[in-house]
């Protein structure tokens, strides 16, 4: 890091100060760095990122466990063949 590119590291340093996990890219794979790791910021800024948080959302699943839709008309809510479930994204 130097004075010309320090601004590119600022979001990473702020995230680290907030306790978020920073990842470093090695061989096209993102590796977690523990918050206790000694960051020297020797790599270009595009080799670092803040670890993404998994997203959650609700969908409607048919009780036959075969059909899933993202939204359901309010008139169907009384239809007991559908159930609302919460889905959490899996990040690898």
């Amino acid at each position: 890091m130097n004075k010309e590119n320090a601004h590119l590291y600022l979001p990473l340093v702020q995230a680290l100060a907030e306790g978020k996990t920073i990842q470093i890219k090695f061989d096209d794979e993102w590796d977690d760095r523990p918050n206790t790791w000694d960051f020297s910021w020797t790599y270009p800024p595009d080799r670092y990122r803040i670890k993404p948080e998994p997203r959650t959302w609700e969908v409607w699943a048919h009780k036959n466990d075969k059909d899933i839709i993202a939204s359901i008309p309010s008139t169907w809510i009384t239809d007991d063949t559908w159930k609302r479930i919460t889905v959490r994204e899996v990040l690898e």
Side-chain angles (χ1 to χ4, degrees), residues 2-53:
N2 56 47
K3 69 178 185 175
E4 284 78 28
N5 67 6
H7 67 283
L8 300 173
Y9 293 90
L10 283 176
L12 298 163
V13 173
Q14 181 64 42
L16 184 62
E18 293 171 359
K20 295 181 180 174
T21 301
I22 303 299
Q23 295 180 316
I24 301 178
K25 188 182 243 184
F26 293 111
D27 299 323
D28 293 328
E29 296 285 327
W30 289 103
D31 291 331
D32 289 1
R33 296 289 120 184
N35 292 344
T36 57
W37 195 64
D38 183 19
F39 282 91
S40 57
W41 308 108
T42 55
Y43 299 109
D46 62 346
R47 295 264 311 267
Y48 299 94
R49 74 173 182 180
I50 303 163
K51 184 176 183 174
E53 295 287 330

Side-chain angles (χ1 to χ4, degrees), residues 53-65:
E53 295 287 330
R55 300 173 292 174
T56 60
W57 61 92
E58 289 185 340
V59 296
W60 289 88
H62 197 275
K63 289 189 177 178
N64 67 11
D65 291 326

